[in-house]
């Protein structure tokens, strides 16, 4: 038998692209020059992905400012003082705040996909940001003349279009990044905010047929920016039952960095729907040590005690560089870890077969 194995998304940007981003921000190079550097980084990323033997690729998010904010790149109705997300090591990320409506995405994910597809014949998975994450840009005190209800209606339309355009452009599958799910329980331990997020994301997923939803996945992790997390201390048992209420066919679940993976797997065993596939995280992007293929194999075999093999897959816990300026992991380490995931998954498949 074979087991599917997929990356999550981001790959650390090469030094020349990081330098170019700084030059662009300072006004010393123009958008065309930056695009040339992004194209060079993308071509190298695709080539190195293929060398790992990965059956499914991503664009490595080389052209995204971050996994979360790409739809906002180019919008003018924004202020910088939005929601602040604190990480365990003390650093923070701050989202922008919407100042006026109507809300529209300035950039859709298919723009990244189209560039990547021109460089390979292998299947490409496109990552998109969850509507629930984007919803955080709407201010708590509202916007005069633009109600939250109208914002949500516009947001659902835009999030649907982001997924649909990716499929229309030839995505093999689409992954919704939902890292704010576990964080929501830290912000609101009652679970009310999490339920709002689930309902909002399901409003988007309801726009798709069952066959389309079978090719849509949801990724959850406790954050992975600059080798730090924002919600690893939140009990997975609070998130997982609600997570599997999402009307998606695939779930990409961080487990390699979990202190007690069996605890999470036991919960998943009880809440997973029969038609839902679980891709278990077998690579920890935050750990600088490259896992061995045998370690990956053993993590897969442990998960197979809880999840039927025909509903099991593997992934990395998180992207390796979710924000463009995250240099905590090198490209070489990232691709070495991906190679270990591919090889270890094959070893596990042989054992299970």
């Amino acid at each position: 038998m074979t087991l599917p194995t997929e990356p999550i998304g981001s790959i650390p940007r090469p030094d020349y692209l990081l330098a170019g981003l700084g030059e662009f921000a300072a006004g010393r190079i123009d958008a065309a020059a930056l695009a040339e550097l992004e194209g060079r980084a993308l071509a190298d990323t695709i080539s190195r992905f293929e060398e790992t033997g990965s059956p499914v690729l991503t664009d490595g998010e080389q052209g995204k400012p971050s996994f979360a904010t790409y739809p906002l790149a180019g919008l003018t109705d924004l202020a910088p003082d939005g929601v602040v997300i604190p990480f365990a090591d003390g650093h923070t990320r701050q989202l922008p705040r919407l100042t006026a409506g109507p809300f529209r995405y300035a950039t859709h994910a298919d723009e990244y996909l189209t560039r990547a597809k021109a460089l390979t014949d292998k299947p490409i998975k496109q990552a998109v940001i969850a509507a629930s994450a984007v919803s955080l840009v709407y201010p708590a005190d509202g916007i005069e003349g633009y109600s939250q209800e109208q914002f949500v209606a516009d947001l659902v339309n835009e999030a649907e279009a982001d997924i649909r355009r990716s499929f229309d452009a030839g995505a093999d599958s689409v992954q919704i990044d939902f890292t704010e799910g576990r964080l929501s329980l830290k912000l609101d331990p009652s679970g009310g905010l999490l339920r709002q997020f689930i309902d909002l994301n399901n409003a988007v997923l309801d726009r798709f047929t069952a066959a389309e939803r079978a090719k849509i996945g949801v990724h959850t992790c406790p954050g992975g920016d600059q080798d730090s997390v924002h919600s690893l201390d939140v009990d997975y048992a609070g998130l997982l039952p609600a997570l599997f209420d999402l009307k998606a066919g695939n779930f990409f679940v961080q487990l390699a960095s979990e202190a007690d993976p069996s605890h999470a797997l036991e919960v998943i065993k009880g809440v997973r729907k029969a038609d839902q596939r679980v891709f278990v995280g077998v690579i920890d992007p935050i750990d600088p040590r490259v896992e061995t293929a045998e370690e990956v194999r053993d993590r897969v075999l442990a998960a197979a005690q809880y999840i039927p093999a025909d509903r099991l897959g593997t992934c990395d816990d998180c992207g390796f560089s979710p924000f463009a300026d995250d240099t905590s992991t090198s490209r070489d380490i990232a691709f070495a870890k991906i190679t270990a995931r591919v090889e270890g998954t094959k070893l596990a498949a042989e054992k299970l077969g």
Side-chain angles (χ1 to χ4, degrees):
M1 70 175 300
T2 59
L3 291 174
T5 186
E6 299 184 6
I8 290 301
S10 61
I11 296 293
R13 285 73 169 171
D15 290 343
Y16 58 80
L17 177 54
L18 292 170
L21 289 166
E23 292 291 290
F24 178 73
R28 289 189 286 268
I29 64 172
D30 61 13
L34 178 61
E36 183 176 345
L37 294 174
E38 290 172 344
R40 178 181 163 195
L42 174 60
D44 182 69
T45 299
I46 293 295
S47 175
R48 296 191 67 175
F49 247 129
E50 290 180 331
E51 290 172 2
T52 69
S54 181
V56 176
L57 315 183
T58 75
D59 71 340
E61 302 188 352
Q62 301 299 285
K64 285 184 178 179
S66 81
F67 81 104
T69 60
Y70 71 87
L72 311 177
L75 289 183
T76 57
D77 295 326
L78 296 172
D81 57 343
V83 172
V84 175
I85 301 172
F87 286 78
D89 66 355
H91 88 275
T92 62
R93 293 287 184 178
Q94 187 166 25
L95 297 176
R97 171 176 57 86
L98 189 67
T99 59
F103 176 72
R104 298 290 185 269
Y105 280 19
T107 304
H108 288 87
D110 65 301
E111 297 180 28
Y112 307 110
L113 175 68
T114 300
R115 295 173 200 143
K117 280 187 65 64
L119 299 171
T120 183
D121 293 328
K122 286 202 168 187
I124 297 181
K125 173 172 72 172
Q126 182 57 54
V128 302
I129 189 60
S132 52
V134 182
S135 74
L136 295 173
V137 304
Y138 190 86
D141 56 356
I143 297 174
E144 186 177 355
Y146 187 54
S147 69
Q148 186 172 25
E149 291 75 16
Q150 185 57 58
F151 165 73
V152 168
D154 290 340
L155 172 57
V156 170
N157 287 338
E158 292 298 298
E160 177 198 359
D162 208 26
I163 297 172
R164 200 167 295 284
R165 287 174 56 151
S166 294
F167 279 132
D168 290 345
D172 180 67
S173 62
V174 172
Q175 172 190 291
I176 298 172
D177 286 327
F178 183 49
T179 68
E180 70 279 8
R182 199 165 178 178
L183 177 63
S184 72
L185 291 169
K186 197 167 193 174
L187 301 174
D188 176 15
S190 75
L193 181 58
L194 174 60
R195 179 45 58 183
Q196 289 177 32
F197 284 172
I198 296 295
D199 290 347
L200 175 56
N201 292 330
N202 270 338
V204 177
L205 291 165
D206 279 336
R207 302 280 185 92
F208 295 88
T209 66
E212 289 169 330
R213 290 197 297 269
K215 298 178 69 176
I216 298 174
V218 177
H219 167 233
T220 182
C221 77
D225 181 43
Q226 297 181 11
D227 279 357
S228 189
V229 295
H230 52 53
S231 54
L232 188 60
D233 55 338
V234 174
D235 190 342
Y236 239 158
L239 170 67
L240 292 168
L243 180 74
F244 283 86
D245 282 342
L246 286 168
K247 299 174 184 179
N250 303 300
F251 291 81
F252 301 88
V253 182
Q254 162 265 342
L255 279 178
S257 58
E258 199 67 19
D260 186 4
S262 61
H263 169 63
L265 287 164
E266 185 68 46
V267 177
I268 291 170
K269 179 181 178 180
V271 300
R272 183 189 66 86
K273 313 298 189 296
D275 60 346
Q276 292 173 333
R277 182 184 294 275
V278 180
F279 289 76
V280 294
V282 293
I283 294 293
D284 180 3
I286 289 179
D287 186 350
R289 185 183 64 85
V290 177
E291 293 86 348
T292 67
E294 290 73 22
E295 284 178 283
V296 170
R297 175 200 63 198
D298 292 345
R299 288 171 177 175
V300 180
L301 296 178
Q305 298 178 43
Y306 300 87
I307 302 165
D310 65 347
R311 294 283 92 192
L312 183 62
T314 67
C315 63
D316 311 310
D317 270 2
C318 189
F320 289 91
S321 180
F323 292 82
D325 62 356
D326 182 358
T327 59
S328 57
T329 301
S330 73
R331 283 172 72 80
D332 288 345
I333 291 293
F335 283 115
K337 282 174 169 280
I338 290 168
T339 300
R341 170 172 52 78
V342 172
E343 293 177 351
T345 302
K346 289 178 181 177
L347 293 177
E350 292 169 2
K351 285 283 188 181
L352 292 172

